[in-house]
Amino acid sequence: MSTLEQKTPIANPSPLGLLGFGMTTVLLNLHNAGLLPLSIVIVAMGLAMGGAAQIVAGIMEFKNGNTFGATAFTAYGFFWWSLVLIWVNPMANIRPADDTSMGFYLLLWAVFTTFMFIGTLKHNRATQVVFGSLALLFFLLSLGDFTGSGVIKTIAGVVGIVCGLSAIYSAMAQVVNGEYGKQIMPL
């Protein structure tokens, strides 16, 4: 085998993707729960950790041959970028999003996430919690936009905080378990 043909080992990109997703999800859902205003802090986190970090992790998962991880991280990374574009709407000649269009946008993500959740039934419990709570979050956010209910949006915010924290836990468990070569934090 020549030097060019040798496979270069690549680190597990999942903790990076989960951390990017989890941190951004917690921050945004502190807003959805009514605890923080929507600010540049959330927008910047959405572009950097929610978007770029997950897209990098997704591309690395493609290289690892992990279709589930590649699809999840790349898709949700671009979700964050699309959400930021919706918020800032840099295209002055295009109508801004309204509650109905946002309801459908979030409903499509809910359907996609439900199918990804089905895929997690072959994964560990932590991954199932992340995707199960994320599917619920998207359905609640969609319903909140369709109905205009602030109560539903607040409940969605609480679900989103739990979802984001579960992703952060999963990321940190993978890092800690990987460093020690054994299960320290259960997944």
Side-chain angles (χ1 to χ4, degrees):
M1 183 181 283
S2 74
T3 306
L4 292 175
E5 294 171 337
Q6 291 176 354
K7 185 171 180 171
T8 304
I10 163 175
N12 177 7
S14 183
L16 171 64
L18 285 165
L19 192 61
F21 169 78
M23 290 172 60
T24 309
T25 300
V26 168
L27 199 55
L28 175 57
N29 284 287
L30 288 170
H31 162 70
N32 289 337
L35 301 172
L36 286 179
L38 182 61
S39 72
I40 190 61
V41 171
I42 298 169
V43 172
M45 184 72 94
L47 286 172
M49 288 300 286
Q54 283 196 93
I55 292 166
V56 167
I59 291 167
M60 291 174 69
E61 290 286 20
F62 275 112
K63 183 172 172 119
N64 278 344
N66 179 353
T67 301
F68 182 90
T71 302
F73 291 132
T74 307
Y76 293 118
F78 282 114
F79 160 80
W80 285 108
W81 280 1
S82 70
L83 185 61
V84 168
L85 277 173
I86 289 167
W87 288 337
V88 300
N89 190 15
M91 297 160 245
N93 61 336
I94 296 179
R95 183 175 178 218
D98 58 24
D99 285 346
T100 301
S101 62
M102 284 304 297
F104 280 111
Y105 170 81
L106 294 163
L107 181 60
L108 287 170
W109 283 103
V111 170
F112 167 69
T113 303
T114 299
F115 282 103
M116 293 300 286
F117 170 72
I118 292 168
T120 70
L121 298 177
K122 294 188 71 158
H123 293 237
N124 62 50
R125 190 71 64 216
T127 304
Q128 293 168 9
V129 169
V130 170
F131 280 85
S133 60
L134 181 58
L136 178 59
L137 170 61
F138 277 130
F139 279 116
L140 287 169
L141 289 171
S142 176
L143 184 61
D145 279 336
F146 282 135
T147 64
S149 171
V151 171
I152 293 174
K153 290 179 183 180
T154 300
I155 293 168
V158 173
V159 169
I161 292 166
V162 170
C163 176
L165 290 174
S166 70
I168 293 168
Y169 173 85
S170 182
M172 294 299 89
Q174 288 182 47
V175 170
V176 169
N177 293 349
E179 288 301 307
Y180 284 90
K182 64 182 178 180
Q183 182 175 296
I184 303 292
M185 298 172 68
L187 290 166

